[in-house]
Amino acid sequence: MTQAELRLCSLLLQEHFGEIVEKVGNSLLRTGPRPLRLLVGDTGLLPDQVKKALCVLIQHNLVRYEVQPRGSVEYEARSERILRILRYPRYIYTAKTLYGDPGELLVEELLLHGHLSMSCAVARVADRLTETMEDGKTMDYSEVSSTFVRLADTHFIQRCPMVPESPWNAKAPPPPAPALAIAEKDMYIVPRLSLVGKGKRRHSCDEEEEGEHKAKKQKQEGGTSETPPDDGIYWQVNLERFHQHFRDQALVSAVASRMDQTSSEVVRTMLRMSEVTTASGASHTQPLSSNEIFRSLPAGYNIGKQVLDQYLALLADDPLEFVGKSGDSGGGTYTVSILWASRVPPSPFQHPSLMPLLLHRFGSRCARIFRLLLRKKHLEQKQVEDFAMIPAKEAKDMLYRMLSENLVSLQEIPKTPDHAPSRTFYLYTVNVMAAARMLLHRCYKSVANLMERRQHETRENKRLLEKSQRVEAILASMQATGAEAAQLHEVEEMITGPERQQLETLKRNVNKIDASENRVDETIFVLESFIESTMKRP
Amino acid sequence: MAGRGRGRGRGQMTFNVEAVGIGKGDALPPPTLQPSPLFPALERRAAPLPGGEEGEYMLALKQELRRAMRGLPYFVKPGAPRRDIERYSDKYQLSSPVDSAIDWNPDWRRLPRELKIRVRRLRKGRTPPLIPKQHVALDKEETIKKLESLEKKEEEVTSEEEEEKEEEEEGKEEEEEEYDEEEHEEETDYVLSYFDNGESFGPDSDDNGDEAVY
């Protein structure tokens, strides 16, 4: 865990869960797995606060626990999962594009609450959808639950590990913590529920009551206090599947940019067919025969069978090896190679979000040299100048700058045993893994910096923001009670012109910073999946 | 021997200075007397952010998520600070969530047992604390007095609960209670601890049992 990752994790925890959870998470991340007592001692918080924070973290799958042989329970933070919080908007947007509004809201609820049972999730989403519909209409549970089932079938959501059903053993004391487990095959099975109902619209009169008798209402909300039929079965979002989807998208767009739209459609069809059959770490999809592909092509693309075969042959022959031919049965079977690392030349730097990184930091000529080095692996100084067609002085300068940033490295090849500098070859090369890791570290740092800057901006203008919120509240209440235009105007005047300017600037800056964070997160995804796949390769 | 040659010409170094590129007689750049600037000048501007519907939607989603998460019970707020003086209005204000309570109901079966926080309910069986203002009047009949003291104890218990909500330290509270009991005892003829209404039996556990005592 690098310092940059630690800093980013603690910023994310603080922003989304508050100071107390941040302190607990921080302590766990820095010092590794520990039991509760040590955690309380480390953080200096009250035991109850620490317990509360741990419950929150476990609920959201950010911390896991393990029963040690000596009986104590140790808690361990999952740093990679904490970093995923950055990507939540992307997951929700993807769900929206694939499954529409119910899908979007389902994924959002699951992400916000960590894990939920099906009945609970469906009820919440139906209520939210009803709020946005016109008066008099309500959203039926059946539509939402059918979307839920579709999400589960395509593996976008999965079941959480379950509490083991051990017989009640009165003699032996129950273990200090349950050992949760789930079989692979059970993970996507939706329980047979008949969820009947409609979304409820929250009436305005209910809102006043809610504040006072909150606890009481919570109890009553679950209907009567009977257990719902799917008690104990909780669902969570399957982040790996979303990552697989992003990777497929990147592949398809790469094919589209290299060849044409139709070939990208072919690849997309192949990927869609093997969505659920591909194991998460596989380097190739299952072989698909061209007959199957022909049948599964989307309706709009009526290309002939021969044309499809030609496209497949073209894709298979391409040096970038997007598609490989694996056999001849059924008109030829093809697989899509999905591992980043199995591609020549190494792919992450071909990705559209990474090349501009270099471009804008160093200039287009540096980027040219870099691409050259990626292609040719090892080059001498003179050769670099020749191939890149850049004058010697500039080339030297650029190479040294990239060298100082550790993007390229030098390889010495001595001619004589005494390694004399005048008699050694110095070759420039790009060590892809090291460069990728270095860039990833930089990305984490930049996101952390962006977040801090955004928080700083918000803090600086806190007074102004509060004032504007109050004015808005006053305006809203006045409008509700039907005030005149002149009075409304007076209230609006409370925020002066320059203050309005300031608010505008603040809003623009915060938006810009947020958009940048999203963008950097895309880069982080590409780099992380590259590194992960290269490490996994046997 | 040692030290000979020092000071003659420019500083001598262990490696061949010419190989690095500093020729004979070249002027070295002047020594830097300040730390490097905080924000080095940007040579090139960054690329514009991709706009478009997708970017805007994700931006809105991100801000919406942030705002929503602050309102959820998972956002653990630190407890309300201790007031220096007890005010009358405290009884009527919405007290912040009790530190030791959890606002949502996790499935306790899935969590380790030690994490379970037991909310302090109305402790009817506990020895009554002192609210200095509420003195039990001394010149009443026996039975009425007993009834009154019972009533007052109930009130004291509820206001004790509210007091508990404001106080964050258990130890201090217990200390206060003991002191209060003594003071209270002095004022009445009846030793209140003799009264036991049988409700101390039950889920009146002390959380400190699970943790080691140092």
Side-chain angles (χ1 to χ4, degrees):
Chain A
M1 274 243 66
T2 60
Q3 280 298 319
E5 278 178 51
L6 282 174
R7 189 169 149 233
L8 181 57
C9 284
S10 66
L11 274 172
L12 282 169
L13 283 177
Q14 185 219 354
E15 198 165 65
H16 294 268
F17 296 109
E19 297 268 337
I20 296 181
V21 175
E22 184 221 345
K23 281 206 189 114
V24 172
N26 235 342
S27 164
L28 279 174
L29 283 167
R30 274 171 213 274
T31 49
R34 16 211 17 233
L36 182 61
R37 297 178 295 118
L38 290 180
L39 206 51
V40 174
D42 260 354
T43 51
L45 297 166
L46 298 174
D48 279 337
Q49 286 176 321
V50 175
K51 285 184 196 174
K52 204 170 171 188
L54 278 173
C55 285
V56 170
L57 286 168
I58 296 178
Q59 168 84 10
H60 282 86
N61 296 317
L62 301 173
V63 156
R64 59 169 162 242
Y65 59 84
E66 229 180 270
V67 184
Q68 293 302 311
R70 260 173 286 139
S72 63
V73 182
E74 273 195 359
Y75 302 94
E76 190 182 346
R78 298 171 59 192
S79 60
E80 71 287 343
R81 180 65 178 81
I82 300 180
L83 293 171
R84 297 294 154 264
I85 299 181
L86 264 181
R87 215 167 283 165
Y88 282 2
R90 202 169 169 195
Y91 298 140
I92 300 175
Y93 183 71
T94 311
K96 184 188 171 84
T97 52
L98 291 175
Y99 293 105
D101 280 339
E104 177 197 2
L105 287 180
L106 273 170
V107 170
E108 190 179 329
E109 286 290 322
L110 281 174
L111 283 172
L112 280 179
H113 293 272
H115 51 78
L116 282 177
S117 66
M118 179 171 174
S119 38
C120 192
V122 168
R124 272 181 208 270
V125 171
D127 287 345
R128 275 180 76 172
L129 283 170
T130 312
E131 295 275 320
T132 58
M133 291 167 89
E134 305 135 11
D135 284 324
K137 285 215 199 136
T138 54
M139 171 64 80
D140 204 25
Y141 278 15
S142 59
E143 198 180 319
V144 181
S145 49
S146 70
T147 318
F148 193 95
V149 170
R150 278 165 67 199
L151 276 169
D153 282 338
T154 43
H155 294 326
F156 279 107
I157 54 182
Q158 67 188 27
R159 279 223 256 198
C160 298
M162 318 260 288
V163 179
E165 292 188 21
S166 54
W168 190 249
N169 199 346
K171 286 185 212 153
L180 304 172
I182 187 164
E184 177 90 28
K185 58 178 171 50
D186 289 334
M187 265 211 259
Y188 307 105
I189 301 180
V190 183
R192 295 235 167 286
L193 291 178
S194 55
L195 286 172
V196 179
K198 294 193 185 302
K200 286 184 259 303
R201 197 182 292 272
R202 211 176 34 169
H203 298 290
S204 49
C205 56
D206 282 351
E207 286 187 40
E208 291 164 10
E209 289 179 20
E210 253 184 88
E212 288 181 35
H213 306 288
K214 216 169 178 186
K216 214 165 157 191
K217 249 229 153 34
Q218 262 182 11
K219 233 202 216 164
Q220 288 174 357
E221 224 178 53
T224 48
S225 52
E226 66 194 24
T227 51
D230 65 343
D231 184 39
I233 301 180
Y234 293 97
W235 293 81
Q236 64 188 6
V237 178
N238 183 5
L239 298 183
E240 277 308 312
R241 177 73 181 87
F242 274 102
H243 293 167
Q244 199 185 336
H245 185 263
F246 297 152
R247 199 191 48 213
D248 294 346
Q249 273 182 329
L251 254 179
V252 168
S253 64
V255 174
S257 64
R258 190 168 171 84
M259 306 176 87
D260 72 343
Q261 182 69 13
T262 321
S263 38
S264 74
E265 275 308 312
V266 171
V267 175
R268 196 205 300 270
T269 316
M270 288 174 77
L271 285 168
R272 202 169 3 107
M273 285 164 65
S274 42
E275 258 173 10
V276 291
T277 52
T278 314
S280 58
S283 60
H284 293 268
T285 59
Q286 301 291 332
L288 304 160
S289 75
S290 72
N291 295 334
E292 286 174 3
I293 301 174
F294 184 61
R295 263 172 289 161
S296 325
L297 275 178
Y301 281 85
N302 41 3
I303 52 177
K305 182 78 168 49
Q306 290 99 337
V307 181
L308 173 68
D309 283 337
Q310 281 179 341
Y311 268 116
L312 284 169
L314 212 63
L315 281 166
D317 285 335
D318 191 280
L320 280 182
E321 286 177 32
F322 289 114
V323 167
K325 187 156 184 182
S326 68
D328 274 321
S329 63
T333 49
Y334 298 88
T335 63
V336 183
S337 74
I338 49 184
L339 209 55
W340 291 109
S342 61
R343 219 175 303 257
V344 167
S347 195
F349 295 104
Q350 311 282 358
H351 192 270
S353 70
L354 274 176
M355 252 328 182
L357 238 176
L358 296 167
L359 223 84
H360 286 92
R361 202 153 181 103
F362 296 108
S364 58
R365 288 184 167 182
C366 269
R368 203 196 303 171
I369 296 180
F370 191 77
R371 269 202 293 264
L372 188 65
L373 281 172
L374 275 178
R375 226 182 209 181
K376 302 265 185 184
K377 305 287 164 66
H378 296 273
L379 283 178
E380 262 190 342
Q381 168 100 32
K382 189 86 180 41
Q383 289 173 310
V384 168
E385 291 162 21
D386 287 340
F387 281 123
M389 298 181 282
I390 296 177
K393 205 158 163 222
E394 280 183 40
K396 213 184 277 188
D397 182 45
M398 287 174 192
L399 275 170
Y400 289 164
R401 275 180 57 200
M402 286 203 282
L403 189 64
S404 69
E405 303 265 352
N406 283 327
L407 276 176
V408 305
S409 48
L410 272 178
Q411 170 79 34
E412 291 177 5
I413 303 190
K415 285 191 237 186
T416 54
D418 64 346
H419 288 252
S422 54
R423 288 191 292 272
T424 342
F425 286 118
Y426 287 100
L427 298 176
Y428 286 99
T429 181
V430 176
N431 181 352
V432 184
M433 275 301 273
R437 283 216 172 93
M438 196 268 297
L439 279 176
L440 186 61
H441 182 263
R442 267 232 179 114
C443 285
Y444 288 143
K445 223 168 151 183
S446 46
V447 179
N449 286 346
L450 283 168
M451 286 177 79
E452 281 221 35
R453 180 69 197 193
R454 175 165 46 80
Q455 285 176 358
H456 169 82
E457 294 265 325
T458 323
R459 253 193 317 253
E460 289 279 301
N461 295 304
K462 198 166 119 170
R463 208 207 97 235
L464 193 55
L465 273 173
E466 279 176 4
K467 181 176 175 185
S468 80
Q469 275 172 0
R470 258 180 306 162
V471 167
E472 272 176 33
I474 296 175
L475 271 176
S477 66
M478 280 176 69
Q479 270 178 348
T481 56
E484 300 160 0
Q487 286 176 325
L488 289 176
H489 193 66
E490 250 185 64
V491 172
E492 275 178 16
E493 291 282 306
M494 275 168 56
I495 302 187
T496 63
E499 283 182 344
R500 232 176 259 280
Q501 282 283 57
Q502 215 177 332
L503 275 174
E504 273 300 312
T505 322
L506 173 67
K507 187 165 166 183
R508 203 179 40 228
N509 288 344
V510 168
N511 282 352
K512 209 187 251 193
I513 297 180
D514 268 332
S516 321
E517 285 175 31
N518 281 340
R519 191 94 172 100
V520 178
D521 179 64
E522 281 178 30
T523 315
I524 289 180
F525 169 68
V526 172
L527 287 168
E528 268 181 357
S529 53
F530 171 70
I531 293 178
E532 197 187 307
S533 66
T534 319
M535 305 268 279
K536 259 197 226 159
R537 187 165 52 155
Chain B
M1 294 184 254
R4 220 195 290 174
R6 205 194 302 162
R8 277 198 221 149
R10 220 171 25 228
Q12 316 281 333
M13 287 177 236
T14 53
F15 57 96
N16 189 0
V17 182
E18 283 172 2
V20 177
I22 309 173
K24 256 191 197 173
D26 256 356
L28 283 174
T32 41
L33 296 165
Q34 314 169 331
S36 43
L38 198 53
F39 291 107
L42 262 187
E43 289 165 22
R44 279 168 209 89
R45 302 204 58 170
L49 289 167
E53 196 199 312
E54 187 179 330
E56 305 244 341
Y57 196 82
M58 285 221 271
L59 176 65
L61 264 178
K62 189 173 164 97
Q63 293 178 337
E64 191 46 46
L65 261 179
R66 247 205 322 265
R67 202 191 48 83
M69 275 196 148
R70 282 184 183 257
L72 284 178
Y74 307 116
F75 194 93
V76 178
K77 302 182 187 95
R82 278 201 72 206
R83 307 294 193 88
D84 44 0
I85 311 170
E86 212 181 277
R87 292 163 210 267
Y88 180 76
S89 62
D90 291 344
K91 210 158 103 174
Y92 294 101
Q93 271 174 7
L94 283 175
S95 54
S96 60
V98 186
D99 250 346
S100 49
I102 260 190
D103 289 339
W104 44 289
N105 289 324
D107 190 351
W108 293 112
R109 295 167 294 179
R110 298 177 62 93
L111 294 170
R113 267 183 317 149
E114 62 187 2
L115 287 185
K116 185 152 185 170
I117 299 171
R118 293 191 189 94
V119 186
R120 285 191 197 215
R121 302 200 166 256
L122 282 183
R123 303 244 194 165
K124 301 220 174 82
R126 283 186 76 165
T127 49
L130 168 76
I131 308 294
K133 305 160 194 160
Q134 298 180 9
H135 296 293
V136 181
L138 291 174
D139 53 352
K140 294 215 168 163
E141 303 239 16
E142 276 190 29
T143 48
I144 304 177
K145 189 173 188 183
K146 212 167 183 181
L147 280 174
E148 288 248 352
S149 69
L150 275 181
E151 245 180 64
K152 287 225 167 76
K153 220 183 5 185
E154 286 234 347
E155 272 176 51
E156 280 160 14
V157 169
T158 49
S159 46
E160 181 217 355
E161 201 188 61
E162 281 170 15
E163 246 197 302
E164 268 184 42
K165 284 183 184 168
E166 288 176 10
E167 291 177 327
E168 298 183 38
E169 291 142 63
E170 301 172 47
K172 190 152 183 207
E173 185 197 309
E174 279 175 354
E175 234 178 65
E176 238 181 68
E177 254 183 63
E178 283 172 3
Y179 167 81
D180 292 340
E181 187 184 24
E182 282 174 14
E183 204 189 283
H184 205 75
E185 269 186 344
E186 281 169 15
E187 286 179 329
T188 64
D189 291 334
Y190 296 89
V191 181
L192 292 161
S193 54
Y194 282 166
F195 176 73
D196 178 23
N197 61 1
E199 294 198 60
S200 57
F201 178 76
D204 190 17
S205 53
D206 211 345
D207 295 10
N208 292 330
D210 284 342
E211 301 156 26
V213 177
Y214 291 93

